Amino acid sequence: ASGTTVDFSTNTPTTTLSSTMKNTPSFMAHKTDGNQSISSDTATLITFNTEVFDSDGKYASNRFTPTVAGKYMIGCSLRNVSVSSAATLFLMIRKNGSERLAVITRPDSNGGDAGSQLHGIIEMDDNDYVEIFLDSSDSSATIRSSSNLESYFYGYRIIGA
């Protein structure tokens, strides 16, 4: 900041960033509440019940509502298990209930597991929210739950954007 000196010679430098210089609010949550079955041809809200971090308490009930206007990097990764080789998986990030970003994934010819990832920048105002949905053409599709971040959802405000 203008007029501020930061002394790094003390081996314990400290500085305070203003709120406009931080990538907050930010969060990361993952799925640990059991595998989640996905209904065929129905957009299903994906649950992420365990917070890894939530800088400002803006993640709740599977939804991120930052309450600070700005551009946000939003993303998710899902481990889909028990998927047939003929399945089509349609992963969506919805803003205020409407599709904002989407990707289609198809498993290999053997079926089984299929990873789906989606990441992008979404402009949000102070009362917008985002959620993750998955639609599958296969009624056996299941989202894996695990303690090691196999299925997760994250977001953070982009500074300078």
Side-chain angles (χ1 to χ4, degrees), residues 39-114:
S39 299
S40 179
D41 299 320
T42 302
T44 303
L45 174 67
I46 305 303
T47 59
F48 300 93
N49 63 304
T50 301
E51 291 181 4
V52 177
F53 64 89
D54 186 0
S55 69
D56 296 63
K58 305 300 181 184
Y59 178 79
S61 302
N62 309 302
R63 173 183 289 189
F64 178 54
T65 309
T67 70
V68 176
K71 291 180 176 67
Y72 286 80
M73 174 59 76
I74 303 293
C76 66
S77 180
L78 301 178
R79 181 174 175 200
N80 308 288
V81 296
S82 304
V83 181
S84 76
S85 61
T88 300
L89 302 168
F90 185 56
L91 179 60
M92 297 161 273
I93 297 175
R94 289 186 175 179
K95 173 182 161 185
N96 301 330
S98 297
E99 182 184 317
R100 182 60 60 192
L101 299 171
V103 65
I104 293 174
T105 304
R106 291 186 176 91
D108 66 25
S109 60
N110 296 321
D113 289 8

Side-chain angles (χ1 to χ4, degrees), residues 19 21-26 55-56 68 72 156-159:
S19 62
M21 297 175 66
K22 297 178 184 178
N23 289 87
T24 58
S26 62
S55 69
D56 296 63
V68 176
Y72 286 80
Y156 58 88
R157 188 167 61 92
I158 302 171
I159 59 172

